[in-house]
Amino acid sequence: QVQLVESGGGLVQTGGSLRLACAASGRTFSNYYMGWFRQAPGKERDFVAAIKWDNGYTFYEDSVKGRFTISRDNAKNTLYLQMNSLKPEDTAVYYCAASSLGRIVFTAAQYDYWGQGTQVTVSS
């Protein structure tokens, strides 16, 4: 089974930056998609970004385009989310996830493996 653990969350001011990391262990497959989701209190767990592991093709939710960048380091089995120009509405617990379906998917229910989450708080 794939194990995922997030790190890099914290408290930043509006306009600041954070870089999240997700370390993966266990068996992975080249056709997997790796994604980032976020969930604020009382809200659904929403898609943020995803990347095709083998070729690096990326997908973004509209509200983070131009501000967030998803990337991966194949040798380290690590997924990253660089977050710039942060806004208070970005405040949430951020989760990394993996999907084995072999195609891009955008709902949490379609991802097989999950990390425990890391808190991101953006102060106004």
Side-chain angles (χ1 to χ4, degrees):
Q1 186 176 346
V2 175
Q3 302 282 337
L4 305 173
V5 57
E6 303 94 335
S7 62
L11 174 64
V12 298
Q13 297 181 165
T14 297
S17 297
L18 284 173
R19 190 190 190 198
L20 306 183
C22 174
S25 61
R27 297 191 66 179
T28 58
F29 300 92
S30 62
N31 66 333
Y32 274 33
Y33 284 82
M34 300 291 294
W36 289 97
F37 288 75
R38 62 187 180 185
Q39 187 169 25
K43 299 182 69 176
E44 296 181 352
R45 187 171 298 187
D46 291 328
F47 175 82
V48 177
I51 187 168
K52 183 70 163 61
W53 191 258
D54 57 0
N55 64 12
Y57 200 85
T58 58
F59 305 82
Y60 295 95
E61 190 269 323
D62 286 344
S63 70
V64 308
K65 287 180 180 177
R67 300 190 298 122
F68 291 9
T69 302
I70 188 170
S71 62
R72 84 278 191 257
D73 186 327
N74 301 66
K76 296 181 179 179
N77 285 327
T78 301
L79 178 73
Y80 300 97
L81 185 68
Q82 178 67 47
M83 304 185 294
N84 299 324
S85 301
L86 283 162
K87 306 173 181 179
E89 51 263 45
D90 295 318
T91 295
V93 176
Y94 283 70
Y95 299 88
C96 65
S99 171
S100 62
L101 290 176
R103 68 182 193 275
I104 181 63
V105 287
F106 302 101
T107 64
Q110 294 174 293
Y111 283 73
D112 304 289
Y113 307 103
W114 293 88
Q116 82 290 346
T118 186
Q119 177 70 49
V120 172
T121 303
V122 184
S123 62
S124 59

